[in-house]
DNA sequence: AGTTCTTACCAATTATTTTCCTGTACATTT
DNA sequence: AAATGTACAGGAAAATAATTGGTAAGAACT
């Protein structure tokens, strides 16, 4: 992981379809060297996968919400994590410091879909308490943040 | 935007490097038809960009935090949004309902980098109050969530 | 009904890109 | 100095993507 690798990652984060020749020109390396570096970055897990950044609204997921979860004392935490990992509406789930146990980011077709989701969490005895915050608008939503600065 | 388009998006979200032939086999379409659909999805903005999912830890961004921002009454909100859009540590920034104005997701090299970030927000008179929640571990972190149940 | 327009699709060709292989240069170790 | 390892470049081969031209189905209009 040197400066060149970081540059390549930056380029791919912006546009993962850039050709090896193109990237090579940007980092002053031959296409085959760039290829070898990308292969290594994927193999070592620095690059987890190639993916797309989609417009969730266009896909019918109009609602973005953060659900703060206070896990109930008798909750099966492993089951909770599995549930979060598998649930299609869950975009992110982090164990956090502070008053809450988990911060869960969910995307849903409509506001009406949030209640059944919370009800399900309750039914499974995960919840001691929760708080839901709706995102009204999004200023920025990147997976990637530039490492420099 | 039909069912086939959604399938294609699902496939690309999983692995944006799948070949047109491959995708075509999955959705029962010729490679050129798949290509045409992807081109259209990009042109219409449903696919915002092709990108990578990187391991932030490996890139030296060990800390993930959510900063809840209560904007000060006299804050220049447009300036705040510009600041958020440009700041390299900011991964997400959403205007939200509830007690706070904004939810800001940041990635930083170390815990020590959070304070200067907050100080800068204060210096620019954006902050009335704030609360920072650190992510201890991440159960899930996807950009994409499947639309179907 | 016939004509035009549009849209989606496929097959075949062409262009580009990726992949794989080999040799070289350079640094490190013995 | 010889041996080893690593990163790189160049080029051939393979795979993939983009383009083009043509067909078919359906909608809108005459």
């Amino acid at each position: 992981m040197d400066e060149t690798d970081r540059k390549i990652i930056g380029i791919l984060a912006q546009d993962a379809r850039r050709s090896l020749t193109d990237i090579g020109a940007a980092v002053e390396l031959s296409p085959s060297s760039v290829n070898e570096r990308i292969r290594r970055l994927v193999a070592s897990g620095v690059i987890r996968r190639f993916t797309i950044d989609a417009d969730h609204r266009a896909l019918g997921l109009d609602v973005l919400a953060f659900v703060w979860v206070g896990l109930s004392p008798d909750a099966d935490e492993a089951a909770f994590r599995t549930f979060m990992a598998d649930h299609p509406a869950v975009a992110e789930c982090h164990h956090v410091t502070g008053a809450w146990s988990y911060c869960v980011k969910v995307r849903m077709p409509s506001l009406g879909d949030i209640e059944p989701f919370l009800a399900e969490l309750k039914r499974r005895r995960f919840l001691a308490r929760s708080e839901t915050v709706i995102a009204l608008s999004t200023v920025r939503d990147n997976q990637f943040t530039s490492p420099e600065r």
Side-chain angles (χ1 to χ4, degrees), chain A residues 43-78:
Chain A
S44 67
V46 178
I47 295 177
R48 290 214 194 86
R49 57 177 182 171
F50 288 76
T51 183
I52 53 170
D53 189 354
D55 180 351
H56 301 282
R57 286 263 162 80
L59 294 171
L61 296 170
D62 288 333
V63 175
L64 168 63
F66 292 91
V67 179
W68 293 93
V69 172
L71 225 54
S72 82
D74 61 320
D76 179 347
E77 193 155 348

Side-chain angles (χ1 to χ4, degrees), chain A residues 35-107:
Chain A
N35 191 39
E36 175 59 17
R37 276 175 181 264
I38 293 176
R39 196 197 56 73
R40 252 203 320 266
L41 288 169
V42 172
S44 67
V46 178
I47 295 177
R48 290 214 194 86
R49 57 177 182 171
F50 288 76
T51 183
I52 53 170
D53 189 354
D55 180 351
H56 301 282
R57 286 263 162 80
L59 294 171
L61 296 170
D62 288 333
V63 175
L64 168 63
F66 292 91
V67 179
W68 293 93
V69 172
L71 225 54
S72 82
D74 61 320
D76 179 347
E77 193 155 348
F80 173 77
R81 295 168 84 104
T82 304
F83 181 78
M84 286 297 147
D86 294 340
H87 197 289
V90 174
E92 298 178 33
C93 176
H94 309 277
H95 192 198
V96 294
T97 62
W100 301 96
S101 314
Y102 286 89
C103 172
V104 182
K105 182 171 135 185
V106 294
R107 288 189 192 277

Side-chain angles (χ1 to χ4, degrees), chain A residues 69-147:
Chain A
V69 172
L71 225 54
S72 82
D74 61 320
D76 179 347
E77 193 155 348
F80 173 77
R81 295 168 84 104
T82 304
F83 181 78
M84 286 297 147
D86 294 340
H87 197 289
V90 174
E92 298 178 33
C93 176
H94 309 277
H95 192 198
V96 294
T97 62
W100 301 96
S101 314
Y102 286 89
C103 172
V104 182
K105 182 171 135 185
V106 294
R107 288 189 192 277
M108 307 202 155
S110 74
L111 278 178
D113 298 308
I114 294 179
E115 202 183 333
F117 176 73
L118 293 174
E120 179 68 11
L121 291 180
K122 227 172 181 173
R123 201 189 63 71
R124 291 173 182 250
R125 307 245 169 269
F126 293 143
L127 282 192
R129 63 212 169 87
S130 78
E131 199 171 299
T132 303
V133 177
I134 314 288
L136 299 168
S137 70
T138 293
V139 178
R140 182 172 185 176
D141 193 352
N142 290 127
Q143 192 74 327
F144 186 78
T145 51
S146 52

